[in-house]
Every structure is written in C-alpha cells, then in structure tokens.
Amino acid sequence: MNTQTKSSVSFVMTENNLVLTIGENIYSIGKDHLNYDKILDKIYQGDFENLNQYIDTRKEIVESGKIKIDEHGAVTFNGRPLQGPIADKFNQLVRMKKDISPLAKFMENLDNNPSERSKKELYGFLTNKGFPLTEDGCFIAYKAIRNDWRDIHSGTFDNRVGAVHEMPRSNVDIDSNNTCSTGFHVGTFEYAQYFGGNGSRMVLCKVNPTDAVAVPADHNQQKLRVCRYQVMDICSSRIEDPCWSSL
Amino acid sequence: MKTTTQQHNVYTSQDVQEKKFSIAGTAMAFEILSSKIYTDPHLAIVRELSTNAYDSHKQAGNTDKQFVVHLPNILQPHFSIRDYGTGLTKAQIENIYTTYFASTRSNSNEYVGALGLGSKSPFAYTNQFVVISYKDGYCYKYSAFKNQNGEPAIAILSETTTEEPNGLEIVVNVRQEDFYKFYIAAQKVYTWFKNKPIVNGHIINLEKPASLDGLVDSQNDLNIEIYNINKYDHDQVQYSKSWINVLMGGILYGVDCGSLTISRLALYNSAMIVIHADIGDVDISASREELYLSEKTINYVNSKVRDLEDAILSKFFKEFGSLDKTLDKLVLVENTKRIYNFIDNSLIEDGFDYLNTYMRFEDVGVRAWEYEIGFNQRIRKDKILYIDSKYFYNKRYSIITVAENESIDSKKIKYFMQQNNKTTCIVLVVDDIIKFNKFANIQGQKISEIKLPKIPKASKQAYQSKDYLIVSSHGTMDPDNSSTIDPNNTFIVERRNSTLLCHDFETQSWSILEIANLIKPNVNVIAVTAAKMKKFPYIKRLDTAIQEFDINLSKEMKASIYRKYHMKSKDIIYGSLMELIKDCKSETVSEAFKAMSITDSSQNQSAQNAYVRILKIKDIALDFSEFIDPIQKFYEKYPLLCSVSQNISKDEVINYINFKDNQFS
C-alpha cells in the first residue's frame, strides 16, 4: 500500500486496486481496467498530466452494426444485452483492442437462425473455449477426419480444405436428446481430439450460426449439429485468438 | 431495525471476581466481521449497500427518489451506488467506517440496517473501495482500504465544495470474471425493491414472476403474495430457491421449510409465496443472508402459513359449494391442489371422488383424442381414455368439441391449432349430449363447441396480393397439397426492399399461406417456383415474377435459389434412376433405357414414370445457364446429372442412394 499526495494528485494503491484523485475528480481503477498497467507506469514515472486519456476507455472502442455502447459502457445488440459467451467474446475483443465488427456480423447471422431452440443450444456450445470468429460473422469449430480426408462416421464426405458440405436443414435432427443422428457434426478441439483418436486428422470448419441446428445432450455440450460447414484449414492446436483469418 | 439483547439475571457471592471478555481488534477479527460472515460476497455488497441507500433515503424523507446503481462492464469495470439520502459529514464517515457495530439505526424499526456491519461489506470482496459523500455543499472523497497489516483504514483524498445534492456514493472495482455475479445479485435484490433504482451499465430484468391469482380472496389482509414460478427455468433462478419467503425491508429471505411445523401448503416446483413482514417482525442472522430461526421468527412464519392455509380452504369450500357442474368442480380442485395439499384423501360428492378421479371419457358420453404438433410441424394423434383435469385447467390445451356426425379432419385441426398458436389440442366427440352436459355445460366457459375453420385456398388470396412474395425452389410445389411442398427450400422475399426475410423453416406444411402465417400472420403471398408450373397459374416462374413484380434480386440470390432447386432435382433424378433400374431388372441405366424402348409401357407404368421424370427434370436443370457459376460447379461435382443417357452402372446409383442414407458424419 502506498499513499502519496503530490500537487493535485493523491492516490492509494493496494494490490490490484488504485484509487486516485486528480483535481476534483476521483477514479477507482481495478486490475481489470483496460489500461491498468499503463496507468500504473505513468504513476511510477510521476507523469500525471496525461493520465486522463488512459482512464477514460469509452473511446477505445468503435460501435459496429447493431452493437451499441451507451455512456455507462452498457453494450447491447438490437436493444438486448449481450449474454454469456457472446459477452465474453465481446470483452475479449475489447481487451485485445480488436475490431468488434465480426461479432456484430455474428450476432446478425445468429438472429437469422430460424429456431430459438437452436440459438439457445448454440450459446451452450459456445461457452466452451476456442471458437474464433471470422470476418463474415461465422465461427471456427473443429472436426476430426480420417487420414484420407474422409469423415470418420461414414467415410463418404471429402473434407479437403475448401470443401463445403450442406444438406437441407429439415434433414438435420433438431432433437438434442438424439445424441448420434443425422446432420454434420463439428465440436470443440478437445472433443475432436477424443473422437478422432490415433491416426486421424483435424480440420478447422467455418460454421455460420444461422446453420447451427442442435447441440446433442451427450459430451457436455461439446459437439454441434449443423446443416452446412466449410473446411478452412488443417488444425494442430486450439485457437485462442478471438478472431480467425485464413491469411 | 431494533436489535434485541437479552437481560440475564446473574447472582454471585461477594468473593467472586469478574473478568470481562474482550475482542482484540486484529486483522483477523476485522476479516471475519467484514468478509467471512458472508457466503456470497457479491450479493452481500449489493444487498448491504442498497439497503443503506434505502435507509438513507428514508432518513432524508426522500423515499420517492430512486438511487442510481452502476453495474460493471468491460469499459467501466466497477459497481457503484449513488444515493440521495442524508450524506455524511467528515466526522460521521470517519466514525462509521472505522467502527464495527456502530449503527445509527439499531434503535428504530423504521430502518433495515442495524448492526453497523453492512457499510464494510465491500471488504468481503476487495481490499479498497471509494466512499464519496455529498453533504451540505461539501464533497468528501475517501479511499477505504486494508492497510499493510490487513486492517481496515480510511483516508481522505480530497475535500471540495459542490452543488450536488446530499447523498453517498460507494464505488467498488469488479474483476471481469465476476461481472455476471453482480448482475445476478442485482436481479435478486432489486426485483423485490418497492422503489427500484435506476440501473446503468448493464440491462437486467427486474420483473417479478407472474402472480398466481384466485387462490385466496382478493379482499384479504394477509399481506401474502403467491407467484407462479418454474424453479427449473434458468431465467427464474434469481427469484428464490425457497417455496416460502419473507420480504422485509425490501430484502427477500428464503425460509427453511424444515424448521416449520407441518404445513399443508404444497408448492412443489410451481409456486412460491412471499410474506410481507414489517421490519422487526422476524429476526435475521448477522450476515443478513437468512432468517435467524428464533422462536419469534418461527412463530411468525408458522402463523402466517396457517392464515394462508385457512384462507385458501375457506375460499375453496365457498366456491366448491356454489358450482354445479362436475367439470367446474374438478378444475377448481386441480387449481387448488397446485398449492394446497388436501390431507383428507377423498372429496366425494354424488359418488364422484374429486381428489382421486379415474373417470373415463366414455362415462360422460365422449370419445377423446389428443393432437400434438411436434417438431417439423408433424401432427400426432392419440386416443385418450381417462379424464385428466389438466386438460381443462392448463391453458396449453385447447379443447374442441365436435358433434358425433362431423368428420374429424387432421388437416383442419392442425390449421386451427396453428391459427391459435397451440401445440396441443384435445378433441372431444360428444356421443351422449345429456351425459356430457351434466359433466360440463357445453355453452359454459370451460368448454365450448368450436367450428373448425375452413382452410383458405392460399393460391387465390396470394394471387391478389403483391405485398409479399414467396419464392420456392421446389419444382413440384403445390400450395394446396400437403405432401409436395417443401418449405425448407423456400425463400421469402419482401418486395418493397427486396431483402431476404427468412428462409429454411423447420417445418413441413401443406400450404403457402400456412408458411407465411408462421412468419407473419395474415400476410398474403405469391408463390413462385424455379420450375415450369403451367398447372398452377398462381405459381410463377422466378424470372417471370421478377419481371412482373419488379423485384431487384441479386444474382447471388437468384443463383442460390436455383442451386437449391438443383439439389432437389438431383435427388429426384437419382431416385428415379434407381426405380428405373429396379423395375427394368437391368444393370445399367442405358440398359434400362433400352428396355424402356422395347417393353410395353402399360406393363411397366412405374418405370415409365421414372423415365419421363428424369428427362423432364434434366430439361429444366439445363435451363439455368444464366447462373452458370454455381451451376457449373454443381455439374462438376455431379457430372452424372448431365449424362443420364450414359452408362451409369447400377452400383453407382446404389452408391449414391447409400451415400444419401448415410448422411451422418
């Protein structure tokens, strides 16, 4: 703990928390403030003049599409607050100071999904880690395939990079209680690893949230049934970045 | 709130010397008092600071004014409360914040606070928080923090003049992983506040659950509310885990029902009761997280529960006696059973046991079916034998009665259900009207005879309207025939701005109007198909429609529609090829074609049909040269489509069929 008064700046610094007054204004800055480290650096350097610009974080982010941010920092899409994994993704993007437009597009695509039930289940699936967004508002999921690029279950679908597989939505089983049923399946990195086992490959698949149909009840929300996906790349590890680009 | 400490009568002999216990003000002691007493620190902060704000507003005579709460978010990661109460002077702040068990409110039941612990509750979560007091033109800004020894301390950082109204503002920094916990805590607390605060930073739902009306007389002075709640619903977790709750000073306390004497309330998982208590009616624990189950508390809750039981029972018997139809009585019993457990095992009247009814529909002169629309809009029909009163009180069900001689048409029933947004429906066919009327007055409110609506001819209506346009890529679409339309390959295009409204419905249905109703009730539609459909004048080819209605469809969109059509035609062609090979008992398609030319067609009608179908669809498929890009790719992938007359072996066709059947991955 350090207490210091210097001209018009006073502060109390405890572990992970800083309270300071600059002139008449008081600021409470916690470890999770976007510029916490920078502000601390400035204080250590005794440079109090430009502190304000780091404290106010509203300008660090540009609204995109139907994602709006009000003066209190509340974030909404179409007037609704962002929830669960979507809010987490937004926070991740902001923390990394990345563009939020892929998320805005993702939300619009998700809005086009005709089934409320599918949307709800997709939220559950996305609470798992490692689903980066693409620029066009889709997300990347993982799929284990045979060494000859064919799918593991039937060995009929060629999953070379670039392949797009699609079937009418009505052919995909929407009932999540049917754990193994018709439809294309993608999953988390861990699930794909488990499902593929030895002697398999893993590919990254681009999935539009509009095409998500059901999250089967087994395997703890780790697999997703879709009616369309596109193979984007081969995969060796889980992608931690919030966004994915083929370049 | 008035706190009570008991007086003890103690007598000692003169030689006994008393040595008092004392409490060492160590960091550990402070830690226990400010954080370890709470099991949920996030909830504690929201609850304690909010009740302090509420009390302060009351003290200032400012109860109508809302205090302002800020919930944490990524851009402003803090929780704060600004009240417009009395505010505190410098001396008050330095006294109140540094003294545990110092409360200005422990002698009055006007206020919720009493123990002098709540203002320190942020220490349960953080090692530093901000206290700003606006008092009579001055603004004092403090940091409250744990010092090097871990002991709570407070330091003034600034003192200025201000024009802000009196009040207090507390700011607590929140870690990102705890945002959600604060949202839930705020929901739990503010849902029950009479004067809800202004909440910034995140939108939360502060609606109370729906009331369960009609179980007690509305003119009662019980001060108890009954709510309809589904405890399995994730969206309702913020309300309460307890069936019986006490609301005191804006805070809801769940009652551990195990500590009550046996109650006849049977709330199961569908209801909760809230007893509105005055401050001081019950005791609460030091953490204020739960009721302190003193004799006073238990007696109070027990007496309230008894009062409620009596009120329910008296209302029930008053109403039961006034009803004369068996069905109405049955409904009343079922409704009451949702909340009240009849200890007597029977309630028999005229030989009918209302508590244990196993009466058959047949007994009241009725045959009954349950219809249900499942996923994919398929309708299921089950005969039901026994009368279950849920059919009559549960709003999920819609009841249709039809006279004996009227035919029951599943399509009509489905249409009726869709029109009325029902997924389940009971159809009663009344065979014996006298028996049935004794059971339930058909003209009464519970059951009424419903004429099934005629299904409108979608086509005619559609043709007259130019508001909306349905584009179907399915070649064999027929709006009046349930079996052939496939709305999964259907697009709806809004004509005015030509944007795609919706596509890919999870439904199978029989008319275009029906599909349109699923999206926008009472909308008129035009059906358009990619195929040549001379038979149905209201179904236009896509290109004609585009011209006629002046629709600005992108090439991509058009191509997408045609591509969908192609996928379908591909299936039909391969299906037909298989049929052809099978019927002609040949090994290749060309063999089958040859066989077709020499076999008498009348002897092999099915093969003939398949053959015609193949040629027709191929012809249509080749019409799409305008949208060559996606089509070209399609042909590259499925070259067989272009060459039906070539030598396709039976194995290839079988392979394709197997491939289709195996759409697992």
Side-chain angles (χ1 to χ4, degrees):
Chain A
M1 190 278 306
N2 293 305
T3 316
Q4 189 175 336
T5 309
K6 186 179 176 181
S7 64
S8 62
V9 177
S10 308
F11 63 86
V12 175
M13 196 189 297
T14 56
E15 201 181 330
N16 299 337
N17 272 304
L18 168 70
V19 172
L20 84 161
T21 50
I22 303 175
E24 290 190 359
N25 298 322
I26 187 161
Y27 302 100
S28 181
I29 295 152
K31 177 86 177 131
D32 281 349
H33 188 282
L34 290 179
N35 297 325
Y36 183 73
D37 293 336
K38 273 186 198 155
I39 294 168
L40 246 54
D41 278 352
K42 290 281 162 200
I43 288 177
Y44 286 135
Q45 290 160 16
D47 175 7
F48 299 108
E49 295 207 343
N50 301 316
L51 267 181
N52 252 330
Q53 74 183 62
Y54 296 110
I55 291 170
D56 180 13
T57 52
R58 176 61 191 83
K59 61 182 182 315
E60 308 244 343
I61 177 170
V62 181
E63 289 179 346
S64 173
K66 291 178 186 164
I67 293 187
K68 303 284 174 216
I69 303 153
D70 73 7
E71 57 188 304
H72 304 287
V75 186
T76 50
F77 174 83
N78 249 352
R80 306 186 300 266
L82 302 189
Q83 305 274 18
I86 308 296
D88 290 346
K89 189 67 84 181
F90 176 85
N91 292 348
Q92 201 185 357
L93 288 171
V94 173
R95 189 157 289 287
M96 297 176 81
K97 311 214 163 154
K98 294 203 168 181
D99 177 21
I100 61 160
S101 62
L103 187 67
K105 284 179 193 151
F106 174 90
M107 292 298 288
E108 275 180 41
N109 287 339
L110 184 65
D111 250 18
N112 286 334
N113 190 315
S115 160
E116 283 307 314
R117 177 175 159 160
S118 301
K119 282 187 215 175
K120 212 169 177 178
E121 290 186 7
L122 181 62
Y123 267 76
F125 176 73
L126 293 175
T127 45
N128 295 301
K129 284 187 178 142
F131 300 117
L133 302 178
T134 60
E135 278 172 10
D136 54 354
C138 300
F139 65 94
I140 298 289
Y142 305 83
K143 186 175 182 67
I145 52 168
R146 297 182 191 179
N147 253 332
D148 63 356
W149 301 98
R150 303 250 157 198
D151 69 288
I152 287 182
H153 187 92
S154 69
T156 46
F157 290 89
D158 193 328
N159 284 296
R160 275 170 226 274
V161 173
V164 179
H165 292 297
E166 185 174 13
M167 66 170 81
R169 194 182 172 95
S170 57
N171 287 5
V172 182
D173 192 339
I174 191 175
D175 191 345
S176 51
N177 293 320
N178 299 335
T179 53
C180 187
S181 188
T182 48
F184 299 116
H185 289 87
V186 293
T188 61
F189 178 76
E190 290 74 14
Y191 175 76
Q193 240 179 357
Y194 153 81
F195 186 67
N198 289 337
S200 67
R201 291 171 189 267
M202 204 191 293
V203 285
L204 298 176
C205 300
K206 183 163 97 167
V207 177
N208 190 320
T210 314
D211 297 327
V213 180
V215 176
D218 58 348
H219 295 293
N220 203 12
Q221 310 194 48
Q222 290 211 64
K223 62 177 184 176
L224 170 70
R225 215 143 47 210
V226 300
C227 61
R228 187 180 193 277
Y229 70 92
Q230 183 179 3
V231 182
M232 302 304 284
D233 206 344
I234 45 176
C235 161
S236 52
S237 62
R238 193 170 81 184
I239 303 171
E240 302 294 346
D241 277 354
C243 287
W244 184 86
S245 154
S246 55
L247 296 174
Chain B
M1 184 169 74
K2 261 188 193 169
T3 49
T4 46
T5 43
Q6 273 182 302
Q7 289 285 329
H8 302 274
N9 292 324
V10 179
Y11 306 99
T12 58
S13 60
Q14 280 182 350
D15 56 334
V16 173
Q17 285 193 347
E18 182 181 298
K19 176 81 180 141
K20 272 195 202 166
F21 280 53
S22 66
I23 296 172
T26 59
M28 174 56 82
F30 289 120
E31 174 80 10
I32 289 170
L33 290 175
S34 54
S35 80
K36 298 255 164 79
I37 58 168
Y38 302 117
T39 54
D40 183 344
H42 317 94
L43 183 61
I45 293 173
V46 177
R47 182 188 58 236
E48 296 304 319
L49 299 185
S50 303
T51 46
N52 281 352
Y54 170 86
D55 279 346
S56 189
H57 275 220
K58 208 163 190 183
Q59 211 168 349
N62 224 353
T63 43
D64 290 340
K65 193 161 170 70
Q66 296 167 283
F67 56 91
V68 180
V69 174
H70 181 277
L71 293 176
N73 55 55
I74 186 75
L75 293 172
Q76 298 177 11
H78 64 261
F79 170 78
S80 72
I81 291 191
R82 162 74 158 108
D83 69 49
Y84 297 94
T86 55
L88 296 172
T89 62
K90 233 165 116 177
Q92 281 173 321
I93 291 181
E94 284 164 20
N95 179 32
I96 286 174
Y97 276 90
T98 55
T99 317
Y100 281 68
F101 300 112
S103 174
T104 51
R105 294 158 186 157
S106 47
N107 290 321
S108 165
N109 273 342
E110 283 278 299
Y111 308 112
V112 187
L115 297 177
L117 294 177
S119 58
K120 293 89 178 169
S121 61
F123 281 134
Y125 176 75
T126 181
N127 53 22
Q128 181 168 208
F129 61 97
V130 171
V131 180
I132 305 168
S133 177
Y134 304 94
K135 182 75 174 171
D136 303 332
Y138 286 94
C139 174
Y140 311 105
K141 292 175 179 135
Y142 284 89
S143 158
F145 56 94
K146 284 183 187 166
N147 66 15
Q148 280 107 331
N149 302 325
E151 294 156 358
I154 195 158
I156 189 160
L157 295 181
S158 98
E159 179 179 346
T160 50
T161 53
T162 182
E163 288 178 5
E164 283 278 311
N166 283 358
L168 210 60
E169 184 172 0
I170 313 291
V171 185
V172 182
N173 288 331
V174 178
R175 295 182 286 275
Q176 190 178 324
E177 68 263 25
D178 297 326
F179 290 174
Y180 181 70
K181 292 174 188 162
F182 274 85
Y183 302 158
I184 290 292
Q187 263 178 315
K188 275 188 176 168
V189 173
Y190 302 136
T191 298
W192 304 102
F193 260 56
K194 231 181 214 169
N195 187 12
K196 293 189 178 18
I198 296 167
V199 179
N200 295 325
H202 186 79
I203 299 173
I204 51 171
N205 176 21
L206 298 181
E207 290 288 312
K208 285 183 192 174
S211 288
L212 201 60
D213 294 330
L215 290 166
V216 286
D217 278 328
S218 51
Q219 302 293 325
N220 73 78
D221 49 6
L222 285 176
N223 254 336
I224 296 176
E225 281 173 301
I226 307 169
Y227 293 102
N228 195 354
I229 188 167
N230 178 1
K231 290 204 172 59
Y232 293 114
D233 185 345
H234 183 71
D235 294 336
Q236 297 194 325
V237 288
Q238 82 266 25
Y239 295 128
S240 175
K241 284 181 187 154
S242 301
W243 294 341
I244 301 173
N245 302 272
V246 175
L247 183 67
M248 188 170 77
I251 303 294
L252 194 73
Y253 302 96
V255 175
D256 172 11
C257 294
S259 60
L260 300 175
T261 47
I262 293 167
S263 154
R264 288 188 192 184
L265 292 181
L267 305 166
Y268 305 113
N269 285 310
S270 59
M272 66 182 270
I273 67 166
V274 173
I275 303 167
H276 290 257
D278 291 329
I279 293 173
D281 279 350
V282 288
D283 291 326
I284 46 178
S285 67
S287 65
R288 292 210 292 191
E289 286 180 337
E290 55 193 6
L291 293 180
Y292 175 65
L293 294 173
S294 61
E295 212 178 323
K296 175 178 158 190
T297 307
I298 292 175
N299 285 345
Y300 177 84
V301 177
N302 269 336
S303 86
K304 282 287 177 185
V305 168
R306 290 279 167 276
D307 288 350
L308 179 62
E309 287 170 357
D310 291 348
I312 292 171
L313 215 55
S314 92
K315 167 105 193 281
F316 170 77
F317 279 113
K318 205 165 95 190
E319 235 178 270
F320 193 79
S322 69
L323 296 171
D324 54 351
K325 294 290 171 203
T326 311
L327 175 64
D328 294 337
K329 289 185 177 184
L330 202 58
V331 171
L332 178 69
V333 168
E334 278 308 321
N335 258 335
T336 313
K337 265 161 84 177
R338 294 181 71 187
I339 190 169
Y340 188 80
N341 193 359
F342 289 91
I343 285 183
D344 304 322
N345 273 328
S346 58
L347 187 65
I348 300 171
E349 203 184 75
D350 296 338
F352 186 75
D353 184 351
Y354 287 94
L355 293 180
N356 304 291
T357 167
Y358 295 104
M359 198 185 219
R360 294 188 305 168
F361 272 108
E362 204 178 272
D363 298 339
V364 294
V366 161
R367 283 173 294 141
W369 284 271
E370 182 176 348
Y371 285 80
E372 190 175 23
I373 302 181
F375 284 112
N376 292 340
Q377 297 290 309
R378 290 195 182 95
I379 192 154
R380 188 175 58 78
K381 173 186 174 187
D382 281 328
K383 182 153 186 159
I384 40 178
L385 296 175
Y386 288 94
I387 298 172
D388 187 331
S389 39
K390 75 178 179 195
Y391 299 138
F392 304 103
Y393 79 85
N394 192 336
K395 285 184 181 141
R396 215 180 118 219
Y397 295 94
S398 176
I399 297 175
I400 303 173
T401 58
V402 281
E404 193 188 0
N405 51 6
E406 192 179 331
S407 67
I408 311 168
D409 182 345
S410 288
K411 272 189 193 175
K412 275 190 187 176
I413 289 167
K414 187 178 168 190
Y415 182 73
F416 166 82
M417 286 160 79
Q418 287 183 334
Q419 290 283 306
N420 292 283
N421 285 328
K422 296 278 183 191
T423 52
T424 314
C425 168
I426 307 297
V427 174
L428 306 178
V429 179
V430 181
D431 295 338
D432 184 338
I433 193 75
I434 300 167
K435 257 190 185 175
F436 182 67
N437 268 345
K438 202 177 163 197
F439 170 75
N441 185 355
I442 199 164
Q443 261 82 44
Q445 288 188 331
K446 294 282 185 309
I447 298 182
S448 53
E449 194 170 0
I450 297 167
K451 274 272 170 215
L452 287 174
K454 278 194 176 168
I455 303 171
K457 293 277 179 197
S459 47
K460 284 173 196 158
Q461 269 191 35
Y463 198 50
Q464 286 157 6
S465 160
K466 291 178 184 178
D467 277 353
Y468 283 85
L469 174 74
I470 288 193
V471 182
S472 171
S473 55
H474 189 333
T476 54
M477 182 178 67
D478 169 5
D480 290 335
N481 184 336
S482 60
S483 60
T484 52
I485 189 159
D486 178 5
N488 295 299
N489 287 320
T490 303
F491 291 89
I492 285 200
V493 178
E494 195 178 3
R495 185 177 160 251
R496 288 184 198 93
N497 54 12
S498 301
T499 52
L500 184 68
L501 273 186
C502 189
H503 67 97
D504 269 8
F505 309 103
E506 274 159 14
T507 159
Q508 301 275 348
S509 50
W510 74 87
S511 84
I512 283 200
L513 186 68
E514 191 184 38
I515 305 161
N517 274 331
L518 290 174
I519 307 144
K520 226 173 167 130
N522 309 320
V523 94
N524 289 323
V525 291
I526 296 278
V528 178
T529 175
K532 290 171 181 167
M533 297 293 290
K534 284 184 189 158
K535 194 176 157 197
F536 306 104
Y538 44 85
I539 304 179
K540 294 186 173 292
R541 286 205 60 182
L542 181 63
D543 44 4
T544 324
I546 288 170
Q547 220 171 15
E548 188 169 322
F549 297 118
D550 187 25
I551 299 162
N552 184 19
L553 271 186
S554 68
K555 187 177 175 185
E556 204 181 20
M557 169 90 186
K558 284 185 215 166
S560 166
I561 293 167
Y562 280 118
R563 191 162 59 87
K564 286 223 168 204
Y565 173 69
H566 259 273
M567 298 293 277
K568 203 77 204 172
S569 45
K570 180 195 66 171
D571 287 354
I572 295 169
I573 285 187
Y574 278 79
S576 304
L577 284 175
M578 192 62 213
E579 251 176 70
L580 191 66
I581 290 173
K582 214 171 92 190
D583 285 348
C584 298
K585 298 188 179 64
S586 50
E587 286 300 314
T588 67
V589 173
S590 59
E591 258 179 53
F593 275 31
K594 264 182 215 159
M596 286 299 300
S597 58
I598 50 175
T599 315
D600 181 5
S601 60
S602 61
Q603 285 172 2
N604 199 342
Q605 194 57 44
S606 135
Q608 184 75 28
N609 288 346
Y611 181 62
V612 171
R613 211 154 51 224
I614 292 165
L615 295 181
K616 200 170 140 194
I617 292 175
K618 187 200 162 203
D619 188 35
I620 296 168
L622 290 173
D623 247 9
F624 301 132
S625 51
E626 187 192 341
F627 310 103
I628 195 72
D629 293 351
I631 304 302
Q632 192 67 43
K633 277 185 193 156
F634 180 80
Y635 282 141
E636 277 165 17
K637 205 161 179 187
Y638 304 103
L640 297 181
L641 184 67
C642 309
S643 52
V644 281
S645 55
Q646 285 175 10
N647 256 6
I648 309 168
S649 72
K650 187 178 180 181
D651 285 346
E652 269 179 288
V653 178
I654 289 170
N655 266 345
Y656 173 73
I657 303 285
N658 289 342
F659 169 81
K660 237 191 91 62
D661 288 345
N662 254 321
Q663 282 184 343
F664 290 86
S665 59

